[in-house]
Amino acid sequence: MKNKYKALIVVVFLLPLLVYDVIKYFTLPDIPADTIGKVEIVIPKGASLQAVADTLAKKGLIKNAPVFVFWARGLGIETRIPSGKFKIPMGLTYPQLANYLTRVKPEFRSVTLIEGWPTEKILAELSSALNLNRKILDSLARDTTLLKEYGIPAKNVTGYLLPDTYVFAEGVSEEQVIRFLIEQTLKIFEADSVKQKMREMGFNRHQVVTLASIVEGEAMIDEERPIIASVYLNRLKRGMRLQADPTIQFIITDGPRRLTYKDLKIDSPYNTYRYAGLPPGPINNPGKKSILATVFAAKTKYLYFVARGDGSHVFTVTAREHLKAKQKLNKIRKKIYGF
């Protein structure tokens, strides 16, 4: 009996308020967003309706969170409220506010990540462009639980933050961004053609990303990416050392710079001049083109290449041909640059 009285009291108090809101909802037009003050709110991805209502109440946009929840459910917009950062007009009724939240567009920020960037530079750019916490990003980049979840056999996410230009809603979290970038990389490997080719190569995903990062470090012209990949694959098949300069640039602390013979003697598993096979993991974050160029490498007999100095390379089959090409280019370089 007491519960019935409580329910009756709630109805008596709420009914006038709900009737008033119904009248205002159907008689008042939408308030122009530029004629009244706005309040900035952030709705996290996956936030419950109650959490949204609590946020609105804390920001002073509503006085009664339960009433807003009632209206939102009644209008059927419980699952239609987007996440992100928004500026909400003051003075809206509960139904007007509920309706407004389904139509408002979140603010966006764009970020451009360049192919071949090290993870540190990518995290710095994400922090700056998206106004994210750098310490949290650094922690996520080394999060063992996250790495295990995505099947990344490494100590950090290097190689798996796919470079491109992206647009994110304001208020996106650090974890959402890191997960998104990893998932963009992993999507490349979902195609049946990629899976089939990897089986033919005898490579797993981590090996492809590792070699792709070396290709990314060498290539400047898109058409050469599959050819450069073929050189390294040919070397691996023959048991030759990769002798890839980008792996040395990865281990020196004062690069990038012109390498010396002393650099080539550094004792590191990433030193492909000293150790055969692939290094332990990626040396940068390769783009989609380098990853696909590695999977679908050109069929060549090339074992060597030398840079011309304009971004392109001279590819050769034998060590003798390579030496001749190198000597020829050195003469040209000395004539132009004086060294």
Side-chain angles (χ1 to χ4, degrees):
M1 184 65 70
K2 289 183 179 180
N3 291 335
K4 289 183 179 181
Y5 280 120
K6 287 182 180 179
L8 182 61
I9 292 172
V10 170
V11 171
V12 169
F13 277 99
L14 288 182
L15 189 58
L17 179 61
L18 297 178
V19 171
Y20 173 72
D21 279 332
V22 169
I23 295 173
K24 290 186 73 177
Y25 178 63
F26 289 107
T27 59
L28 291 179
D30 285 343
I31 301 173
D34 59 350
T35 61
I36 56 179
K38 294 181 179 180
V39 175
E40 192 175 88
I41 68 167
V42 175
I43 299 177
K45 185 177 181 180
S48 65
L49 180 59
Q50 184 61 56
V52 173
D54 291 340
T55 297
L56 296 172
K58 289 178 182 178
K59 293 290 185 176
L61 289 164
I62 59 174
K63 292 182 179 180
N64 193 309
V67 173
F68 176 79
V69 171
F70 173 86
W71 270 110
R73 286 177 176 161
L75 294 171
I77 60 98
E78 182 175 1
T79 60
R80 291 163 49 200
I81 299 176
S83 60
K85 190 175 185 179
F86 311 92
K87 289 182 179 178
I88 309 297
M90 294 287 290
L92 299 181
T93 65
Y94 289 98
Q96 283 177 330
L97 179 55
N99 185 50
Y100 186 88
L101 285 174
T102 65
R103 294 182 289 112
V104 67
K105 301 296 182 183
E107 296 182 8
F108 293 95
R109 286 176 179 255
S110 65
V111 59
T112 297
L113 309 174
I114 306 299
E115 293 88 345
W117 271 5
T119 295
E120 293 74 18
K121 194 166 184 177
I122 282 186
L123 297 182
E125 187 64 19
L126 291 174
S127 176
S128 175
L130 304 180
N131 193 30
L132 299 176
N133 187 303
R134 178 60 191 274
K135 289 184 178 180
I136 295 177
L137 289 172
D138 287 339
S139 178
L140 287 166
R142 302 187 302 271
D143 189 293
T144 54
T145 301
L146 193 67
L147 293 168
K148 185 176 181 180
E149 179 183 338
Y150 285 111
I152 300 174
K155 295 180 179 180
N156 58 61
V157 296
T158 294
Y160 295 86
L161 302 179
L162 189 70
D164 204 339
T165 294
Y166 300 103
V167 176
F168 292 97
E170 278 273 17
V172 67
S173 72
E174 291 80 5
E175 183 173 347
Q176 287 171 341
V177 171
I178 294 297
R179 284 182 176 276
F180 175 82
L181 294 178
I182 293 174
E183 289 166 6
Q184 292 304 109
T185 300
L186 300 189
K187 282 181 181 178
I188 299 174
F189 295 89
E190 292 177 0
D192 290 338
S193 58
V194 172
K195 292 178 181 178
Q196 176 61 33
K197 194 62 179 178
M198 285 172 58
R199 284 194 290 269
E200 294 174 8
M201 295 170 64
F203 270 41
N204 59 38
R205 187 177 65 195
H206 194 64
Q207 289 171 319
V208 169
V209 176
T210 298
L211 184 53
S213 72
I214 297 176
V215 172
E216 191 68 72
E218 293 280 15
M220 294 186 68
I221 299 175
D222 288 344
E223 290 75 13
E224 287 193 353
R225 295 179 194 275
I227 303 174
I228 292 173
S230 77
V231 172
Y232 288 129
L233 287 171
N234 290 339
R235 280 178 160 264
L236 287 171
K237 288 177 184 177
R238 287 172 172 249
M240 298 173 64
R241 295 174 187 173
L242 294 182
Q243 295 184 326
D245 288 356
T247 63
I248 307 301
Q249 295 286 0
F250 176 72
I251 58 180
I252 61 176
T253 58
D254 58 343
R257 58 170 171 76
R258 192 171 184 180
L259 299 177
T260 66
Y261 285 110
K262 184 179 179 181
D263 296 323
L264 306 185
K265 296 179 181 179
I266 297 174
D267 189 11
S268 166
Y270 285 89
N271 186 343
T272 55
Y273 277 84
R274 291 194 60 170
Y275 296 96
L278 290 170
I283 58 173
N284 58 46
N285 291 278
K288 185 176 182 179
K289 290 180 180 178
S290 288
I291 292 174
L292 291 179
T294 300
V295 175
F296 299 101
K299 292 184 179 180
T300 75
K301 295 182 179 180
Y302 296 136
L303 292 171
Y304 305 90
F305 62 88
V306 60
R308 283 194 174 98
D310 61 357
S312 66
H313 297 82
V314 175
F315 297 91
T316 51
V317 176
T318 68
R320 187 175 180 179
E321 290 173 336
H322 175 63
L323 182 59
K324 285 183 177 180
K326 196 171 183 180
Q327 290 173 339
K328 182 178 180 180
L329 291 171
N330 283 339
K331 287 181 180 179
I332 296 174
R333 187 180 295 113
K334 190 171 183 179
K335 185 177 181 180
I336 297 175
Y337 301 106
F339 62 85

